[in-house]
Amino acid sequence: MKPVFFLREALRALKRNAIPSFAAMATVLVTVLVLGVFIPVVQATTGAANEVRGKVIADVYLKTDAKRADIERVDRLLKSEPMISKVEFISKDQAYKAERERNPKAYELLGSNPLPDTFRITPGNPDDIGKIRDALAPSAPGGGRTVVDPAIDEVRNREEDTNKILAVTNVVKITMALLAGLLGIASMLLIANTIRLSLYARRREVEVMKLVGATDWFIRWPFVLEGVIVGLFGGVVAILLLAVVKIAVVDPLAADFALIAAPETIDFPLLIGLLLVAAVSVSALGSGLSLRKFLRV
């Protein structure tokens, strides 16, 4: 089994079956183009969703008569909670100053500072925000909530905003995952079906080779190489088109639009490598699987 013989047979098959081979290459080209756009979009969307999820917080309000010792005790309590990743203390004076800058007229009418000392906590996992609230302010048997420390007045997790953020980001992730899965399945079926058309046009040749004693892999290798060549050509053309779009459209727009420049996505050279490997692998696998039917004679 000489590689040169298999390569020569694959090239001869491509020339003899130009139309099915071109259809297969076009399918690979379109698939790689879609994947080349889809992967960065999924990464950018997921990154934006994670950034939004990172804004999920809860506020722990202390009683107005809380002393320094109470503040330090609550601080240690919050930092010992494994589900909490960040604890930020906001004194009543800091809160009053921020609110007064936001609403100067309203706070001018107040004779004293009504705001309490507050701890703003960020969960390690945004989905744990409800558990953190239950841990710090568990439900009381008769209704309502108690607190785990007498200096804590109330724990608010901004439930309405939190639920909206978590719902939207979960929908985005699930939708992108489903689209990615459907795209992968559709690509595999399209490539396998197109290559199967090429194999069907040469079924007599395969049957004759099988009858005269050729092994399955001796018959299969030229077709696998044909799929590799088709996938390689389709992938290279698609990558060239993606590179043109990146240089001519995306890069100039990134200098003017922060929305395009901000998301962290896969490096373009690495994306090229992944797309080439995917194009060649799927095409070769489609060739091998499609040929199995014609080896049963």
Side-chain angles (χ1 to χ4, degrees), residues 84-120:
I84 298 175
S85 66
K86 181 181 178 182
V87 177
E88 179 187 2
F89 176 69
I90 302 173
S91 68
K92 60 178 67 178
D93 294 333
Q94 290 174 323
Y96 181 77
K97 182 179 179 181
E99 291 298 328
R100 187 169 183 175
E101 291 177 355
R102 190 178 304 171
N103 301 296
K105 292 184 179 180
Y107 277 82
E108 281 179 3
L109 301 175
L110 298 175
S112 60
N113 183 1
L115 302 176
D117 292 319
T118 306
F119 283 97
R120 184 157 293 165

PDB file of all heavy atoms in Angstrom, residues 84-120:
ATOM      1  N   ILE A  84     -19.020  33.035  48.964  1.00  0.00           N
ATOM      2  CA  ILE A  84     -18.797  34.455  48.698  1.00  0.00           C
ATOM      3  C   ILE A  84     -17.365  34.656  48.217  1.00  0.00           C
ATOM      4  O   ILE A  84     -16.418  34.224  48.871  1.00  0.00           O
ATOM      5  CB  ILE A  84     -19.052  35.301  49.966  1.00  0.00           C
ATOM      6  CG1 ILE A  84     -20.507  35.163  50.403  1.00  0.00           C
ATOM      7  CG2 ILE A  84     -18.716  36.772  49.712  1.00  0.00           C
ATOM      8  CD1 ILE A  84     -20.819  35.875  51.710  1.00  0.00           C
ATOM      9  N   SER A  85     -17.214  35.318  47.066  1.00  0.00           N
ATOM     10  CA  SER A  85     -15.876  35.532  46.520  1.00  0.00           C
ATOM     11  C   SER A  85     -15.338  36.928  46.817  1.00  0.00           C
ATOM     12  O   SER A  85     -14.122  37.136  46.815  1.00  0.00           O
ATOM     13  CB  SER A  85     -15.881  35.309  45.000  1.00  0.00           C
ATOM     14  OG  SER A  85     -16.670  36.303  44.359  1.00  0.00           O
ATOM     15  N   LYS A  86     -16.215  37.895  47.053  1.00  0.00           N
ATOM     16  CA  LYS A  86     -15.759  39.270  47.275  1.00  0.00           C
ATOM     17  C   LYS A  86     -16.654  39.944  48.311  1.00  0.00           C
ATOM     18  O   LYS A  86     -17.883  39.827  48.253  1.00  0.00           O
ATOM     19  CB  LYS A  86     -15.783  40.062  45.959  1.00  0.00           C
ATOM     20  CG  LYS A  86     -15.300  41.500  46.088  1.00  0.00           C
ATOM     21  CD  LYS A  86     -15.385  42.207  44.734  1.00  0.00           C
ATOM     22  CE  LYS A  86     -14.958  43.669  44.847  1.00  0.00           C
ATOM     23  NZ  LYS A  86     -15.086  44.381  43.549  1.00  0.00           N
ATOM     24  N   VAL A  87     -16.022  40.654  49.247  1.00  0.00           N
ATOM     25  CA  VAL A  87     -16.746  41.395  50.286  1.00  0.00           C
ATOM     26  C   VAL A  87     -16.254  42.840  50.256  1.00  0.00           C
ATOM     27  O   VAL A  87     -15.058  43.106  50.394  1.00  0.00           O
ATOM     28  CB  VAL A  87     -16.516  40.784  51.683  1.00  0.00           C
ATOM     29  CG1 VAL A  87     -17.228  41.622  52.740  1.00  0.00           C
ATOM     30  CG2 VAL A  87     -16.991  39.343  51.731  1.00  0.00           C
ATOM     31  N   GLU A  88     -17.178  43.774  50.061  1.00  0.00           N
ATOM     32  CA  GLU A  88     -16.838  45.201  50.021  1.00  0.00           C
ATOM     33  C   GLU A  88     -17.642  45.935  51.087  1.00  0.00           C
ATOM     34  O   GLU A  88     -18.883  45.845  51.120  1.00  0.00           O
ATOM     35  CB  GLU A  88     -17.154  45.773  48.644  1.00  0.00           C
ATOM     36  CG  GLU A  88     -16.854  47.262  48.523  1.00  0.00           C
ATOM     37  CD  GLU A  88     -17.321  47.852  47.206  1.00  0.00           C
ATOM     38  OE1 GLU A  88     -17.919  47.096  46.406  1.00  0.00           O
ATOM     39  OE2 GLU A  88     -17.089  49.048  46.986  1.00  0.00           O
ATOM     40  N   PHE A  89     -16.945  46.652  51.976  1.00  0.00           N
ATOM     41  CA  PHE A  89     -17.619  47.409  53.031  1.00  0.00           C
ATOM     42  C   PHE A  89     -17.860  48.834  52.560  1.00  0.00           C
ATOM     43  O   PHE A  89     -16.956  49.503  52.052  1.00  0.00           O
ATOM     44  CB  PHE A  89     -16.778  47.422  54.303  1.00  0.00           C
ATOM     45  CG  PHE A  89     -17.366  48.266  55.399  1.00  0.00           C
ATOM     46  CD1 PHE A  89     -18.534  47.884  56.045  1.00  0.00           C
ATOM     47  CD2 PHE A  89     -16.768  49.466  55.773  1.00  0.00           C
ATOM     48  CE1 PHE A  89     -19.098  48.657  57.050  1.00  0.00           C
ATOM     49  CE2 PHE A  89     -17.315  50.253  56.783  1.00  0.00           C
ATOM     50  CZ  PHE A  89     -18.485  49.841  57.419  1.00  0.00           C
ATOM     51  N   ILE A  90     -19.102  49.304  52.718  1.00  0.00           N
ATOM     52  CA  ILE A  90     -19.477  50.672  52.365  1.00  0.00           C
ATOM     53  C   ILE A  90     -20.013  51.327  53.632  1.00  0.00           C
ATOM     54  O   ILE A  90     -21.088  50.955  54.129  1.00  0.00           O
ATOM     55  CB  ILE A  90     -20.541  50.699  51.250  1.00  0.00           C
ATOM     56  CG1 ILE A  90     -20.028  49.968  50.007  1.00  0.00           C
ATOM     57  CG2 ILE A  90     -20.924  52.132  50.897  1.00  0.00           C
ATOM     58  CD1 ILE A  90     -21.076  49.807  48.919  1.00  0.00           C
ATOM     59  N   SER A  91     -19.264  52.274  54.159  1.00  0.00           N
ATOM     60  CA  SER A  91     -19.692  52.935  55.392  1.00  0.00           C
ATOM     61  C   SER A  91     -20.899  53.822  55.113  1.00  0.00           C
ATOM     62  O   SER A  91     -21.176  54.189  53.969  1.00  0.00           O
ATOM     63  CB  SER A  91     -18.548  53.766  55.965  1.00  0.00           C
ATOM     64  OG  SER A  91     -18.266  54.872  55.119  1.00  0.00           O
ATOM     65  N   LYS A  92     -21.595  54.192  56.186  1.00  0.00           N
ATOM     66  CA  LYS A  92     -22.766  55.050  56.030  1.00  0.00           C
ATOM     67  C   LYS A  92     -22.386  56.412  55.451  1.00  0.00           C
ATOM     68  O   LYS A  92     -23.154  56.997  54.686  1.00  0.00           O
ATOM     69  CB  LYS A  92     -23.488  55.205  57.372  1.00  0.00           C
ATOM     70  CG  LYS A  92     -22.629  55.814  58.476  1.00  0.00           C
ATOM     71  CD  LYS A  92     -23.429  55.992  59.768  1.00  0.00           C
ATOM     72  CE  LYS A  92     -23.802  54.652  60.362  1.00  0.00           C
ATOM     73  NZ  LYS A  92     -24.528  54.810  61.647  1.00  0.00           N
ATOM     74  N   ASP A  93     -21.179  56.902  55.792  1.00  0.00           N
ATOM     75  CA  ASP A  93     -20.735  58.183  55.250  1.00  0.00           C
ATOM     76  C   ASP A  93     -20.464  58.090  53.749  1.00  0.00           C
ATOM     77  O   ASP A  93     -20.803  59.006  52.982  1.00  0.00           O
ATOM     78  CB  ASP A  93     -19.471  58.657  55.976  1.00  0.00           C
ATOM     79  CG  ASP A  93     -19.742  58.984  57.444  1.00  0.00           C
ATOM     80  OD1 ASP A  93     -20.903  59.337  57.756  1.00  0.00           O
ATOM     81  OD2 ASP A  93     -18.816  58.867  58.270  1.00  0.00           O
ATOM     82  N   GLN A  94     -19.842  56.970  53.320  1.00  0.00           N
ATOM     83  CA  GLN A  94     -19.600  56.779  51.892  1.00  0.00           C
ATOM     84  C   GLN A  94     -20.915  56.665  51.116  1.00  0.00           C
ATOM     85  O   GLN A  94     -21.064  57.236  50.031  1.00  0.00           O
ATOM     86  CB  GLN A  94     -18.757  55.514  51.668  1.00  0.00           C
ATOM     87  CG  GLN A  94     -17.319  55.636  52.145  1.00  0.00           C
ATOM     88  CD  GLN A  94     -16.583  54.307  52.030  1.00  0.00           C
ATOM     89  OE1 GLN A  94     -17.154  53.239  52.259  1.00  0.00           O
ATOM     90  NE2 GLN A  94     -15.298  54.381  51.693  1.00  0.00           N
ATOM     91  N   ALA A  95     -21.858  55.928  51.679  1.00  0.00           N
ATOM     92  CA  ALA A  95     -23.152  55.755  51.024  1.00  0.00           C
ATOM     93  C   ALA A  95     -23.900  57.084  50.941  1.00  0.00           C
ATOM     94  O   ALA A  95     -24.509  57.412  49.909  1.00  0.00           O
ATOM     95  CB  ALA A  95     -23.985  54.725  51.782  1.00  0.00           C
ATOM     96  N   TYR A  96     -23.829  57.879  52.003  1.00  0.00           N
ATOM     97  CA  TYR A  96     -24.515  59.172  52.029  1.00  0.00           C
ATOM     98  C   TYR A  96     -23.920  60.117  50.982  1.00  0.00           C
ATOM     99  O   TYR A  96     -24.644  60.817  50.269  1.00  0.00           O
ATOM    100  CB  TYR A  96     -24.400  59.778  53.428  1.00  0.00           C
ATOM    101  CG  TYR A  96     -25.102  61.115  53.566  1.00  0.00           C
ATOM    102  CD1 TYR A  96     -26.484  61.179  53.684  1.00  0.00           C
ATOM    103  CD2 TYR A  96     -24.373  62.303  53.558  1.00  0.00           C
ATOM    104  CE1 TYR A  96     -27.133  62.405  53.818  1.00  0.00           C
ATOM    105  CE2 TYR A  96     -25.005  63.530  53.668  1.00  0.00           C
ATOM    106  CZ  TYR A  96     -26.386  63.573  53.805  1.00  0.00           C
ATOM    107  OH  TYR A  96     -27.017  64.790  53.909  1.00  0.00           O
ATOM    108  N   LYS A  97     -22.595  60.121  50.887  1.00  0.00           N
ATOM    109  CA  LYS A  97     -21.927  60.991  49.912  1.00  0.00           C
ATOM    110  C   LYS A  97     -22.312  60.613  48.488  1.00  0.00           C
ATOM    111  O   LYS A  97     -22.584  61.479  47.645  1.00  0.00           O
ATOM    112  CB  LYS A  97     -20.416  60.896  50.095  1.00  0.00           C
ATOM    113  CG  LYS A  97     -19.627  61.800  49.164  1.00  0.00           C
ATOM    114  CD  LYS A  97     -18.130  61.680  49.413  1.00  0.00           C
ATOM    115  CE  LYS A  97     -17.337  62.568  48.448  1.00  0.00           C
ATOM    116  NZ  LYS A  97     -15.874  62.441  48.670  1.00  0.00           N
ATOM    117  N   ALA A  98     -22.331  59.286  48.203  1.00  0.00           N
ATOM    118  CA  ALA A  98     -22.679  58.831  46.851  1.00  0.00           C
ATOM    119  C   ALA A  98     -24.126  59.164  46.509  1.00  0.00           C
ATOM    120  O   ALA A  98     -24.426  59.623  45.395  1.00  0.00           O
ATOM    121  CB  ALA A  98     -22.432  57.327  46.735  1.00  0.00           C
ATOM    122  N   GLU A  99     -25.027  58.938  47.457  1.00  0.00           N
ATOM    123  CA  GLU A  99     -26.437  59.217  47.199  1.00  0.00           C
ATOM    124  C   GLU A  99     -26.696  60.717  47.083  1.00  0.00           C
ATOM    125  O   GLU A  99     -27.554  61.147  46.311  1.00  0.00           O
ATOM    126  CB  GLU A  99     -27.307  58.607  48.308  1.00  0.00           C
ATOM    127  CG  GLU A  99     -27.336  57.088  48.309  1.00  0.00           C
ATOM    128  CD  GLU A  99     -27.930  56.527  47.032  1.00  0.00           C
ATOM    129  OE1 GLU A  99     -28.817  57.172  46.446  1.00  0.00           O
ATOM    130  OE2 GLU A  99     -27.506  55.437  46.603  1.00  0.00           O
ATOM    131  N   ARG A 100     -25.972  61.520  47.873  1.00  0.00           N
ATOM    132  CA  ARG A 100     -26.168  62.966  47.818  1.00  0.00           C
ATOM    133  C   ARG A 100     -25.712  63.528  46.473  1.00  0.00           C
ATOM    134  O   ARG A 100     -26.327  64.462  45.933  1.00  0.00           O
ATOM    135  CB  ARG A 100     -25.404  63.635  48.953  1.00  0.00           C
ATOM    136  CG  ARG A 100     -25.697  65.135  49.056  1.00  0.00           C
ATOM    137  CD  ARG A 100     -25.153  65.718  50.321  1.00  0.00           C
ATOM    138  NE  ARG A 100     -25.494  67.125  50.425  1.00  0.00           N
ATOM    139  CZ  ARG A 100     -25.232  67.891  51.479  1.00  0.00           C
ATOM    140  NH1 ARG A 100     -24.603  67.349  52.537  1.00  0.00           N
ATOM    141  NH2 ARG A 100     -25.565  69.159  51.501  1.00  0.00           N
ATOM    142  N   GLU A 101     -24.632  62.961  45.917  1.00  0.00           N
ATOM    143  CA  GLU A 101     -24.196  63.392  44.593  1.00  0.00           C
ATOM    144  C   GLU A 101     -25.206  62.999  43.528  1.00  0.00           C
ATOM    145  O   GLU A 101     -25.368  63.695  42.521  1.00  0.00           O
ATOM    146  CB  GLU A 101     -22.833  62.776  44.273  1.00  0.00           C
ATOM    147  CG  GLU A 101     -21.690  63.334  45.114  1.00  0.00           C
ATOM    148  CD  GLU A 101     -20.373  62.646  44.825  1.00  0.00           C
ATOM    149  OE1 GLU A 101     -20.380  61.665  44.033  1.00  0.00           O
ATOM    150  OE2 GLU A 101     -19.341  63.070  45.379  1.00  0.00           O
ATOM    151  N   ARG A 102     -25.890  61.884  43.769  1.00  0.00           N
ATOM    152  CA  ARG A 102     -26.874  61.416  42.798  1.00  0.00           C
ATOM    153  C   ARG A 102     -28.180  62.205  42.903  1.00  0.00           C
ATOM    154  O   ARG A 102     -28.819  62.516  41.886  1.00  0.00           O
ATOM    155  CB  ARG A 102     -27.137  59.928  43.022  1.00  0.00           C
ATOM    156  CG  ARG A 102     -27.947  59.258  41.936  1.00  0.00           C
ATOM    157  CD  ARG A 102     -28.103  57.769  42.236  1.00  0.00           C
ATOM    158  NE  ARG A 102     -26.806  57.126  42.405  1.00  0.00           N
ATOM    159  CZ  ARG A 102     -26.648  55.873  42.843  1.00  0.00           C
ATOM    160  NH1 ARG A 102     -27.711  55.157  43.163  1.00  0.00           N
ATOM    161  NH2 ARG A 102     -25.448  55.360  42.967  1.00  0.00           N
ATOM    162  N   ASN A 103     -28.622  62.501  44.122  1.00  0.00           N
ATOM    163  CA  ASN A 103     -29.867  63.234  44.356  1.00  0.00           C
ATOM    164  C   ASN A 103     -29.621  64.361  45.363  1.00  0.00           C
ATOM    165  O   ASN A 103     -30.012  64.260  46.539  1.00  0.00           O
ATOM    166  CB  ASN A 103     -30.961  62.295  44.882  1.00  0.00           C
ATOM    167  CG  ASN A 103     -31.258  61.158  43.932  1.00  0.00           C
ATOM    168  OD1 ASN A 103     -31.714  61.374  42.819  1.00  0.00           O
ATOM    169  ND2 ASN A 103     -31.011  59.936  44.382  1.00  0.00           N
ATOM    170  N   PRO A 104     -28.960  65.436  44.957  1.00  0.00           N
ATOM    171  CA  PRO A 104     -28.580  66.487  45.908  1.00  0.00           C
ATOM    172  C   PRO A 104     -29.767  67.174  46.574  1.00  0.00           C
ATOM    173  O   PRO A 104     -29.739  67.455  47.773  1.00  0.00           O
ATOM    174  CB  PRO A 104     -27.769  67.468  45.042  1.00  0.00           C
ATOM    175  CG  PRO A 104     -28.170  67.179  43.633  1.00  0.00           C
ATOM    176  CD  PRO A 104     -28.495  65.730  43.594  1.00  0.00           C
ATOM    177  N   LYS A 105     -30.841  67.439  45.824  1.00  0.00           N
ATOM    178  CA  LYS A 105     -31.980  68.158  46.386  1.00  0.00           C
ATOM    179  C   LYS A 105     -32.698  67.331  47.449  1.00  0.00           C
ATOM    180  O   LYS A 105     -33.117  67.852  48.486  1.00  0.00           O
ATOM    181  CB  LYS A 105     -32.948  68.532  45.264  1.00  0.00           C
ATOM    182  CG  LYS A 105     -32.394  69.573  44.297  1.00  0.00           C
ATOM    183  CD  LYS A 105     -33.427  69.967  43.262  1.00  0.00           C
ATOM    184  CE  LYS A 105     -32.875  71.032  42.313  1.00  0.00           C
ATOM    185  NZ  LYS A 105     -33.876  71.440  41.286  1.00  0.00           N
ATOM    186  N   ALA A 106     -32.850  66.039  47.169  1.00  0.00           N
ATOM    187  CA  ALA A 106     -33.566  65.190  48.116  1.00  0.00           C
ATOM    188  C   ALA A 106     -32.806  65.057  49.429  1.00  0.00           C
ATOM    189  O   ALA A 106     -33.403  65.091  50.517  1.00  0.00           O
ATOM    190  CB  ALA A 106     -33.799  63.813  47.502  1.00  0.00           C
ATOM    191  N   TYR A 107     -31.485  64.942  49.365  1.00  0.00           N
ATOM    192  CA  TYR A 107     -30.706  64.725  50.587  1.00  0.00           C
ATOM    193  C   TYR A 107     -30.419  66.032  51.330  1.00  0.00           C
ATOM    194  O   TYR A 107     -30.001  66.011  52.487  1.00  0.00           O
ATOM    195  CB  TYR A 107     -29.400  63.992  50.248  1.00  0.00           C
ATOM    196  CG  TYR A 107     -29.604  62.503  50.161  1.00  0.00           C
ATOM    197  CD1 TYR A 107     -30.107  61.923  48.996  1.00  0.00           C
ATOM    198  CD2 TYR A 107     -29.337  61.673  51.240  1.00  0.00           C
ATOM    199  CE1 TYR A 107     -30.321  60.567  48.906  1.00  0.00           C
ATOM    200  CE2 TYR A 107     -29.540  60.306  51.165  1.00  0.00           C
ATOM    201  CZ  TYR A 107     -30.036  59.757  49.994  1.00  0.00           C
ATOM    202  OH  TYR A 107     -30.261  58.405  49.921  1.00  0.00           O
ATOM    203  N   GLU A 108     -30.650  67.168  50.694  1.00  0.00           N
ATOM    204  CA  GLU A 108     -30.497  68.437  51.401  1.00  0.00           C
ATOM    205  C   GLU A 108     -31.594  68.617  52.451  1.00  0.00           C
ATOM    206  O   GLU A 108     -31.418  69.313  53.456  1.00  0.00           O
ATOM    207  CB  GLU A 108     -30.548  69.605  50.400  1.00  0.00           C
ATOM    208  CG  GLU A 108     -29.242  69.822  49.653  1.00  0.00           C
ATOM    209  CD  GLU A 108     -29.340  70.969  48.662  1.00  0.00           C
ATOM    210  OE1 GLU A 108     -30.412  71.602  48.632  1.00  0.00           O
ATOM    211  OE2 GLU A 108     -28.363  71.210  47.936  1.00  0.00           O
ATOM    212  N   LEU A 109     -32.743  67.982  52.211  1.00  0.00           N
ATOM    213  CA  LEU A 109     -33.859  68.090  53.143  1.00  0.00           C
ATOM    214  C   LEU A 109     -33.680  67.229  54.384  1.00  0.00           C
ATOM    215  O   LEU A 109     -34.396  67.413  55.377  1.00  0.00           O
ATOM    216  CB  LEU A 109     -35.167  67.698  52.432  1.00  0.00           C
ATOM    217  CG  LEU A 109     -35.539  68.537  51.195  1.00  0.00           C
ATOM    218  CD1 LEU A 109     -36.778  67.981  50.527  1.00  0.00           C
ATOM    219  CD2 LEU A 109     -35.753  69.990  51.590  1.00  0.00           C
ATOM    220  N   LEU A 110     -32.766  66.273  54.334  1.00  0.00           N
ATOM    221  CA  LEU A 110     -32.533  65.388  55.469  1.00  0.00           C
ATOM    222  C   LEU A 110     -31.577  66.052  56.457  1.00  0.00           C
ATOM    223  O   LEU A 110     -30.528  66.545  56.097  1.00  0.00           O
ATOM    224  CB  LEU A 110     -31.942  64.054  54.987  1.00  0.00           C
ATOM    225  CG  LEU A 110     -32.839  63.230  54.046  1.00  0.00           C
ATOM    226  CD1 LEU A 110     -32.088  62.009  53.560  1.00  0.00           C
ATOM    227  CD2 LEU A 110     -34.124  62.815  54.768  1.00  0.00           C
ATOM    228  N   GLY A 111     -31.947  65.997  57.709  1.00  0.00           N
ATOM    229  CA  GLY A 111     -31.082  66.605  58.710  1.00  0.00           C
ATOM    230  C   GLY A 111     -29.950  65.711  59.141  1.00  0.00           C
ATOM    231  O   GLY A 111     -28.908  66.190  59.620  1.00  0.00           O
ATOM    232  N   SER A 112     -30.113  64.410  58.970  1.00  0.00           N
ATOM    233  CA  SER A 112     -29.081  63.461  59.390  1.00  0.00           C
ATOM    234  C   SER A 112     -28.936  62.361  58.348  1.00  0.00           C
ATOM    235  O   SER A 112     -29.753  62.252  57.427  1.00  0.00           O
ATOM    236  CB  SER A 112     -29.432  62.858  60.758  1.00  0.00           C
ATOM    237  OG  SER A 112     -30.678  62.178  60.687  1.00  0.00           O
ATOM    238  N   ASN A 113     -27.943  61.556  58.532  1.00  0.00           N
ATOM    239  CA  ASN A 113     -27.680  60.463  57.582  1.00  0.00           C
ATOM    240  C   ASN A 113     -28.545  59.261  57.948  1.00  0.00           C
ATOM    241  O   ASN A 113     -28.343  58.622  58.983  1.00  0.00           O
ATOM    242  CB  ASN A 113     -26.195  60.086  57.641  1.00  0.00           C
ATOM    243  CG  ASN A 113     -25.848  59.006  56.621  1.00  0.00           C
ATOM    244  OD1 ASN A 113     -26.695  58.552  55.865  1.00  0.00           O
ATOM    245  ND2 ASN A 113     -24.583  58.601  56.606  1.00  0.00           N
ATOM    246  N   PRO A 114     -29.522  58.886  57.079  1.00  0.00           N
ATOM    247  CA  PRO A 114     -30.393  57.752  57.399  1.00  0.00           C
ATOM    248  C   PRO A 114     -29.852  56.406  56.917  1.00  0.00           C
ATOM    249  O   PRO A 114     -30.472  55.363  57.170  1.00  0.00           O
ATOM    250  CB  PRO A 114     -31.671  58.110  56.648  1.00  0.00           C
ATOM    251  CG  PRO A 114     -31.179  58.809  55.418  1.00  0.00           C
ATOM    252  CD  PRO A 114     -29.933  59.548  55.824  1.00  0.00           C
ATOM    253  N   LEU A 115     -28.736  56.430  56.219  1.00  0.00           N
ATOM    254  CA  LEU A 115     -28.240  55.212  55.586  1.00  0.00           C
ATOM    255  C   LEU A 115     -27.399  54.392  56.563  1.00  0.00           C
ATOM    256  O   LEU A 115     -26.631  54.948  57.346  1.00  0.00           O
ATOM    257  CB  LEU A 115     -27.412  55.562  54.342  1.00  0.00           C
ATOM    258  CG  LEU A 115     -28.148  56.377  53.273  1.00  0.00           C
ATOM    259  CD1 LEU A 115     -27.199  56.750  52.152  1.00  0.00           C
ATOM    260  CD2 LEU A 115     -29.338  55.593  52.729  1.00  0.00           C
ATOM    261  N   PRO A 116     -27.500  53.070  56.509  1.00  0.00           N
ATOM    262  CA  PRO A 116     -26.724  52.214  57.408  1.00  0.00           C
ATOM    263  C   PRO A 116     -25.387  51.814  56.784  1.00  0.00           C
ATOM    264  O   PRO A 116     -25.157  51.979  55.587  1.00  0.00           O
ATOM    265  CB  PRO A 116     -27.623  50.993  57.557  1.00  0.00           C
ATOM    266  CG  PRO A 116     -28.279  50.876  56.217  1.00  0.00           C
ATOM    267  CD  PRO A 116     -28.478  52.294  55.726  1.00  0.00           C
ATOM    268  N   ASP A 117     -24.487  51.306  57.618  1.00  0.00           N
ATOM    269  CA  ASP A 117     -23.288  50.661  57.092  1.00  0.00           C
ATOM    270  C   ASP A 117     -23.712  49.415  56.319  1.00  0.00           C
ATOM    271  O   ASP A 117     -24.638  48.691  56.723  1.00  0.00           O
ATOM    272  CB  ASP A 117     -22.357  50.271  58.243  1.00  0.00           C
ATOM    273  CG  ASP A 117     -21.762  51.495  58.933  1.00  0.00           C
ATOM    274  OD1 ASP A 117     -21.390  52.440  58.224  1.00  0.00           O
ATOM    275  OD2 ASP A 117     -21.676  51.500  60.179  1.00  0.00           O
ATOM    276  N   THR A 118     -23.014  49.145  55.222  1.00  0.00           N
ATOM    277  CA  THR A 118     -23.435  48.059  54.330  1.00  0.00           C
ATOM    278  C   THR A 118     -22.232  47.243  53.873  1.00  0.00           C
ATOM    279  O   THR A 118     -21.157  47.803  53.607  1.00  0.00           O
ATOM    280  CB  THR A 118     -24.154  48.631  53.087  1.00  0.00           C
ATOM    281  OG1 THR A 118     -25.226  49.477  53.508  1.00  0.00           O
ATOM    282  CG2 THR A 118     -24.694  47.512  52.201  1.00  0.00           C
ATOM    283  N   PHE A 119     -22.439  45.937  53.762  1.00  0.00           N
ATOM    284  CA  PHE A 119     -21.474  45.056  53.107  1.00  0.00           C
ATOM    285  C   PHE A 119     -22.072  44.627  51.770  1.00  0.00           C
ATOM    286  O   PHE A 119     -23.190  44.110  51.725  1.00  0.00           O
ATOM    287  CB  PHE A 119     -21.177  43.814  53.962  1.00  0.00           C
ATOM    288  CG  PHE A 119     -20.252  44.068  55.105  1.00  0.00           C
ATOM    289  CD1 PHE A 119     -20.761  44.293  56.377  1.00  0.00           C
ATOM    290  CD2 PHE A 119     -18.878  44.088  54.922  1.00  0.00           C
ATOM    291  CE1 PHE A 119     -19.914  44.518  57.442  1.00  0.00           C
ATOM    292  CE2 PHE A 119     -18.017  44.327  55.984  1.00  0.00           C
ATOM    293  CZ  PHE A 119     -18.538  44.543  57.256  1.00  0.00           C
ATOM    294  N   ARG A 120     -21.334  44.859  50.705  1.00  0.00           N
ATOM    295  CA  ARG A 120     -21.768  44.422  49.365  1.00  0.00           C
ATOM    296  C   ARG A 120     -20.991  43.170  49.015  1.00  0.00           C
ATOM    297  O   ARG A 120     -19.758  43.191  48.938  1.00  0.00           O
ATOM    298  CB  ARG A 120     -21.525  45.518  48.337  1.00  0.00           C
ATOM    299  CG  ARG A 120     -22.021  45.190  46.936  1.00  0.00           C
ATOM    300  CD  ARG A 120     -22.272  46.453  46.159  1.00  0.00           C
ATOM    301  NE  ARG A 120     -23.391  47.193  46.733  1.00  0.00           N
ATOM    302  CZ  ARG A 120     -23.661  48.470  46.447  1.00  0.00           C
ATOM    303  NH1 ARG A 120     -22.887  49.132  45.619  1.00  0.00           N
ATOM    304  NH2 ARG A 120     -24.699  49.060  46.992  1.00  0.00           N
TER     305      ARG A 120
END
